[in-house]
Amino acid sequence: MPDTQHADSVGLVCPQFRHFDTPLALDCGVTLPSYDLCYETYGELNAARDNAVLVCHALSGDAHAAGFHDPEQRKPGWWDNCIGPGKPLDTRRFFVVCSNNLGGCNGSTGPLSVRPGTTHRYGPDFPFVTVRDWVQSQARLADALGIERWAAVMGGSLGGMQVLQWAIDFPDRVRHAIVIAAAPRLSTQNIAFNEVARQAIRSDPDFHDGHYADHGVVPERGLRLARMLGHITYLSDDVLHSRFGRELKEGKIQFNFGVEFQIESYLRYQGESFVNRFDANTYLLMTKSLDYFDPAADFEGDLTRAVSRCTARFLVMSFSSDWRFSPKRSREIVRALLDNDLDVSYVDIESALGHDSFLLPIPQYHKVLGAYFSRIEVGA
Amino acid sequence: MNGRHLRPEQALIADWITSGSRVLDLGCGDGALLAALATQKGVTGYGIEIDPDNIVTCIERGVNVLHSDLDAGLSEFDAHSFDFVIMTQTIQAIWRPDAIIDEMLRIGREVIVTFPNMGHWKCRAQILLGRMPVTRHLPNTWYDTPNIHMCTINDFEELCAAKHLEVLERATVDSSHRADLGMRLLPNLLAEIAVYRIKRRG
């Protein structure tokens, strides 16, 4: 049984839901008549309401960033090592909010939700959502929670891109922007990987053009493949080698297509566990929103102009062995901020663990985060 | 200027910097100079640093710090984007000191450089005795030193002349921040640290 009572854990937490009746006009041209956001909070909002930190999740994340939903839960929330009393994002000082993005499959309105006025789920008809749409929807959540201005908005990977979008779209509502392991937009190679993942799902005979629920099936094979591919890009060649090497499960080559190498076993396990917790339509939507993310697009591709209205102070971080969103991509963001004379610190963390590093408790990484949060002033 | 946390030559630099200016500090260490300049002179800008512990200290101090290797170049910075570009006791560890001075002069209106003077009598004495110098300011041995381009005050003057640079101010200090008569008369022999403020002519 996990130690939900440990002093540095936020302990037992409960997901909350907020319904929004005001229609939301999405970038794709469709208007969502109403929607729900699932979110969790840790810590207390202070009287000055100036200690709220928004945490943005990555591709397959959700609102459950820290703590436990029940005492039997095996693993805590996805960023538990970073959020809690005495942790880098210290819940004794800060009020932390994390919401599941629109189009998600973990509580917020998405393909699994019933379409208003019908008895059917959205399924593949859920509209395309963009990072900007997510920011708009979260701004309404902030309004509902009485948060005029975030002390900080923070996220890694896709979540880091969302932080950047927040700082651009709502300059007055973000004091500090913490952008981790992100990029100003995807590279051609990134999009290529996403497309292979999507094709794996869409070509699964059980996909049924996204109407798999009506057929009582799940495109398990496709989802599994998509996740396996993703996992290769989350880790570095070095860490794959040191963790699995060319180690054979049975000790010698079997001349068959079963699981022979340890890495095959690992990838299959990762794929398998994903099938049980993630919706295929959501995965397709999330990868698309990654591909579409490009805040510079409205400024003739000029990121410097795109961030010119930002007023937040920035902390940009990357990881040395991350090849999915490499340090070079973070430096593009830094460069644009420097061009505007904005306050920014940039730290590249030495790590062999690849893109996944942003979720891991690497001492130097957490030291930097802790130091940065310690400087953020909050009222009583 | 309260120089409680500053090294002698940093305190001197702080006096040279005009209030409200934009400063880039190359090899900013623990950010002490930038932090002091920010609180006391309203200076804004960035430090560049490579040491992980120093970076954490900079962030704790609220100093904008950019994790970067100076030898990888300064192409991220536009021409004339700073009033001052500073480098304290770092130039001797740079792969190409002449190239970085060009870069600093491209980015900044004025450049301030400090370096340990290899012409100091203690260094000369050790070389005369047949050994590479090890001093308070140059504590490393020859095989593990980051300082790969040592120079004397005379050498630096010669570089400035060759590059047609204008020396706006020059100062020397010893470890106790004294600049006595002897040091003014024979800086290359008696000064441990040299401090230069330079710009391009014209």
Side-chain angles (χ1 to χ4, degrees), chain A residues 243-256 258-265:
Chain A
R243 238 200 251 172
F244 308 106
R246 292 179 50 87
E247 201 180 314
L248 291 159
K249 243 187 146 184
E250 305 298 327
K252 61 174 185 155
I253 287 174
Q254 304 288 319
F255 295 103
N256 66 33
V259 172
E260 292 207 88
F261 292 95
Q262 287 293 358
I263 179 64
E264 295 171 327
S265 164

Side-chain angles (χ1 to χ4, degrees), chain A residues 2 8 11 25 64 108 165 181 209 224 239 258 277 326 350 363-364 369:
Chain A
D8 70 355
H64 186 36
S108 291
Q165 193 74 55
D209 288 326
R224 215 182 283 137
V239 74
R277 74 171 181 92
S326 72
E350 184 71 36
Q364 176 68 9
L369 282 179

Side-chain angles (χ1 to χ4, degrees), chain A residues 55-181:
Chain A
V55 170
C56 300
H57 68 71
L59 181 64
S60 59
D62 52 38
H64 186 36
F68 299 85
H69 284 168
D70 66 77
E72 301 305 316
Q73 189 180 326
R74 200 168 52 85
K75 278 161 83 181
W78 57 270
W79 217 354
D80 191 80
N81 61 40
C82 187
I83 304 166
K87 289 178 180 171
L89 176 44
D90 193 335
T91 48
R92 293 171 304 192
R93 278 188 82 214
F94 293 101
F95 174 65
V96 180
V97 179
C98 181
S99 71
N100 184 214
N101 286 330
L102 274 181
C105 54
N106 285 292
S108 291
T109 300
L112 295 178
S113 311
V114 173
R115 194 173 193 152
T118 74
T119 54
H120 287 80
R121 291 177 166 190
Y122 275 104
D125 300 324
F126 194 85
F128 284 90
V129 278
T130 63
V131 174
R132 193 156 47 186
D133 295 330
W134 291 337
V135 170
Q136 293 297 329
S137 69
Q138 286 179 318
R140 292 185 183 176
L141 179 63
D143 294 340
L145 296 174
I147 297 160
E148 178 63 32
R149 199 168 177 225
W150 298 103
V153 183
M154 169 188 183
S157 194
L158 176 57
M161 298 174 188
Q162 202 163 326
V163 174
L164 186 57
Q165 193 74 55
W166 254 104
I168 291 170
D169 290 351
F170 292 99
D172 301 336
R173 302 191 74 170
V174 183
R175 272 202 286 153
H176 293 268
I178 304 176
V179 179
I180 305 165

